[in-house]
Amino acid sequence: MDFLKKLKIQQINPAASAGLEWINGNHDKMLASINPSNENVIAKTAYINESEYEYLIQKAHNTFLTWRNVPAPVRGEVVRQIANELREYKDALGSLVSLEMGKSKEEGDGEVQEMIDIADFAVSLSRMLYGKTMHSERPLHRIQEQWHPLGVVGVITAFNFPVAVWAWNAFIAAVCGNAIVWKPSHKVPLCAIAVQHICNQVMQRLGYDGVFSYFIADHDIRDKLTHDKRIALISFTGSTAAGKHVAQTVASRLGKTILELGGNNAIIVDQSADLKLAIPAIIFGAVGTAGQRCTTTRRVIIHESIYGRVIEALCQGYQKLKIGDPLDKNNFVTPLIDAKAVQLFQDTIDEIKMHHGEILCGGNRLDRPGFYVEPTIAAVENDWPMVQRESFVPILYVMKFKNVDEAIHMQNDVAQGLSSAIFTNDFRHAELFISAAGSDCGLANVNIGTSGAEIGGAFGGEKETGGGRESGSDAWKAYMRRQTTTVNWGQELPLAQGIKFNQD
């Protein structure tokens, strides 16, 4: 595979599914990266040990002490050059994302483009880390709010976006003056290794070292990051259950967190909706990344007057989907990440049937190598247990509504609050949906689907989605500490609130 050579991944055994092997010294514990499209081992990488972890964190801290003094626009220039390097590696890195994670080549390339976009965004922010000045109630005084970097930022990412989510955090945190330590998902270690090689070769060329680092660890080392008082901020992306544990652990040491957790995203299709827009948006949102996005469309709430038409169009669209090798751009339906995900799919199908839900299309594991299942549509009720929780598989739940107030209530009546959408040509319905009385999600869209957020807007959700925000106009503030300074340039010492203090 030519893209592996471009990424400087040594191919030591071409017969064994590219046969990669990364060994960081003499280690007994090794992690195998599995190709989800054929279940073969792509590569093995070594886990770090405790002494290596200590070295890594201390080096990151020492780097921060120097990096924070580099002018922010200069830090931005470093990130700009990393973005240029990512442009050179976009096709190769996108192919590796597709190979290891299993998402389509189109989506893999799109994820790398998202890294480039957020890098460009971070470069702009490096000249806009604004503070405020304000008038003091005391004469000859000036008050100023300014922002300083936090220190070492820990980034824990999930398998479904193995490179982009790190970039959302790392590039903005870096222009703010922080050092970044990355703990990637153990399901996609090669993507992290390749990204770090790309970034670090730029950093070394420019005379910087240690700003970006990563580690692959077993459970005993993995949890140290959240407990470590030297890590000022943990940005965690993953399940709600794991996010609650991270939040409690970090809060117990009074650290900071950014939490991007589960989604249970719905699209409302009202009687005025343009189905030429709605149908492809639903299908892409439900099936893209094999249903393994936090913004995946899980539920479609359809007005009863058009329910039959929408279901017919969706099932016809599902039948046209091509399933197969993610590296083949003709295929849109790709494998799940592993056997555990396949079992979750099968268990959820069984639960739907147990509740007498109707499988309208799909519902089976495919009899072929790899972790492939059929994208599925099921008619259900909104309050059923499997509908109320997030299942990270391509199962789309459909249900009816009578009026828009009922539809919004159904959409909001889940524990998660990430992404939402309405398809309507009714101006009042659209405005209601994005009003305070409408969607309770962090993302609310009109006439576009639930997935595909742009980096210019703040990304994140409410309720059990965690409340975190990444990207967006003031995203940089999450990676900095605010300091209020008061300067007395007079020769008297007046006190605030008119307090008198006389020592005579």
Side-chain angles (χ1 to χ4, degrees):
M1 297 182 182
D2 291 341
F3 67 86
L4 298 175
K5 294 179 181 178
K6 183 167 184 177
L7 292 169
K8 298 180 181 179
I9 296 175
Q10 184 180 4
Q11 187 170 326
I12 62 174
N13 182 4
S17 183
L20 315 178
E21 188 169 9
W22 295 83
I23 301 178
N24 305 322
N26 297 320
H27 295 72
D28 295 328
K29 292 184 177 181
M30 301 289 290
L31 172 65
S33 173
I34 306 297
N35 182 344
S37 66
N38 58 22
E39 304 179 47
N40 292 334
V41 174
I42 305 172
K44 293 182 179 180
T45 182
Y47 289 122
I48 67 167
N49 57 40
E50 189 163 348
S51 63
E52 289 169 327
Y53 171 84
E54 289 298 324
Y55 171 81
L56 185 74
I57 300 302
Q58 190 58 51
K59 182 178 179 181
H61 176 69
N62 292 339
T63 298
F64 159 70
L65 297 178
T66 302
W67 181 245
R68 66 182 177 179
N69 294 322
V70 175
V74 177
R75 299 193 296 252
E77 171 61 17
V78 172
V79 172
R80 187 189 70 82
Q81 295 203 33
I82 290 174
N84 287 341
E85 198 79 359
L86 287 170
R87 287 179 171 90
E88 293 295 319
Y89 284 95
K90 178 180 175 179
D91 180 64
L93 187 55
S95 295
L96 179 59
V97 170
S98 181
L99 176 74
E100 187 176 36
M101 187 269 145
K103 65 175 58 176
S104 70
K105 169 63 172 165
E106 194 75 21
E107 291 184 272
D109 289 350
E111 185 170 347
V112 181
Q113 184 60 50
E114 196 164 1
M115 298 180 75
I116 296 167
D117 292 343
I118 197 69
D120 289 345
F121 185 61
V123 173
S124 300
L125 289 179
S126 70
R127 293 182 180 270
M128 297 188 292
L129 305 178
Y130 298 135
K132 293 182 178 181
T133 59
M134 59 212 74
H135 293 280
S136 173
E137 65 187 59
R138 292 166 285 184
L140 307 183
H141 283 58
R142 177 173 59 83
I143 302 176
Q144 172 183 324
E145 286 185 343
Q146 58 185 356
W147 296 82
H148 300 302
L150 288 173
V152 180
V153 170
V155 181
I156 303 174
T157 57
F159 72 86
N160 58 332
F161 279 85
V163 297
V165 171
W166 172 81
W168 291 355
N169 290 275
F171 292 153
I172 295 179
V175 300
C176 290
N178 303 288
I180 297 90
V181 176
W182 183 12
K183 205 293 292 179
S185 167
H186 65 281
K187 298 179 182 182
V188 284
L190 300 183
C191 290
I193 292 169
V195 166
Q196 289 293 298
H197 284 333
I198 292 169
C199 291
N200 287 342
Q201 66 188 19
V202 175
M203 300 295 288
Q204 290 165 7
R205 184 172 71 235
L206 298 176
Y208 299 101
D209 183 42
V211 174
F212 302 113
S213 56
Y214 76 100
F215 66 92
I216 311 295
D218 206 352
H219 293 287
D220 53 343
I221 303 296
R222 196 181 306 165
D223 291 342
K224 289 178 71 68
L225 196 66
T226 55
H227 288 87
D228 199 323
K229 292 182 178 180
R230 294 168 293 183
I231 310 300
L233 167 72
I234 293 287
S235 177
F236 175 83
T237 302
S239 70
T240 296
K244 288 179 178 179
H245 174 71
V246 168
Q248 291 169 358
T249 302
V250 178
S252 70
R253 59 177 178 84
L254 299 181
K256 300 177 184 294
T257 55
I258 298 173
L259 301 175
E260 297 288 357
L261 310 178
N264 195 348
N265 316 296
I267 292 178
I268 297 171
V269 184
D270 80 1
Q271 59 268 49
S272 71
D274 184 343
L275 298 188
K276 294 191 299 295
L277 297 179
I279 298 303
I282 293 168
I283 294 174
F284 177 84
V287 180
T289 323
Q292 298 171 119
R293 289 185 178 214
C294 55
T295 54
T296 288
T297 305
R298 306 283 174 202
R299 299 173 293 142
V300 181
I301 304 168
I302 308 164
H303 192 269
E304 60 184 7
S305 66
I306 60 170
Y307 180 82
R309 288 172 54 201
V310 172
I311 296 303
E312 181 181 6
L314 288 175
C315 289
Q316 288 177 354
Y318 270 46
Q319 291 170 5
K320 297 176 183 177
L321 294 170
K322 293 183 178 180
I323 302 174
D325 181 0
L327 287 169
D328 183 343
K329 285 194 173 184
N330 293 316
N331 297 323
F332 182 66
V333 179
T334 54
L336 293 170
I337 188 65
D338 57 19
K340 185 177 179 181
V342 174
Q343 188 61 54
L344 173 62
F345 172 86
Q346 294 174 318
D347 291 345
T348 307
I349 294 296
D350 290 342
E351 189 175 358
I352 293 169
K353 293 177 179 177
M354 183 183 71
H355 281 78
H356 306 291
E358 182 181 2
I359 304 298
L360 301 175
C361 66
N364 302 299
R365 178 175 184 172
L366 295 175
D367 185 16
R368 58 180 296 171
F371 305 116
Y372 290 92
V373 299
E374 291 178 332
T376 301
I377 302 175
V380 299
E381 298 294 333
N382 196 53
D383 60 353
W384 290 357
M386 83 293 297
V387 182
Q388 286 288 307
R389 66 175 181 264
E390 178 190 45
S391 296
F392 232 51
V393 291
I395 299 176
L396 178 66
Y397 301 119
V398 295
M399 58 204 78
K400 300 177 184 178
F401 75 90
K402 295 181 183 296
N403 59 67
V404 70
D405 291 325
E406 178 190 13
I408 291 173
H409 173 76
M410 291 170 66
Q411 184 222 268
N412 292 344
D413 193 25
V414 292
Q416 310 83 2
L418 179 53
S419 188
S420 59
I422 187 170
F423 279 83
T424 181
N425 283 323
D426 187 316
F427 173 76
R428 292 179 178 83
H429 288 181
E431 288 297 319
L432 173 62
F433 184 75
I434 60 175
S435 74
S439 169
D440 65 0
C441 295
L443 306 173
N445 301 326
V446 177
N447 292 330
I448 62 170
T450 61
S451 61
E454 297 182 30
I455 56 92
F459 180 89
E462 301 302 324
K463 302 187 293 188
E464 288 196 356
T465 300
R469 292 297 186 274
E470 293 163 331
S471 300
S473 58
D474 63 349
W476 57 272
K477 291 181 179 179
Y479 307 97
M480 304 192 84
R481 58 182 177 89
R482 181 158 59 180
Q483 183 182 76
T484 301
T485 66
T486 304
V487 177
N488 177 2
W489 51 282
Q491 295 180 322
E492 304 291 335
L493 191 65
L495 300 177
Q497 293 84 49
I499 295 173
K500 302 297 183 182
F501 177 68
N502 189 348
Q503 288 187 300
D504 293 337

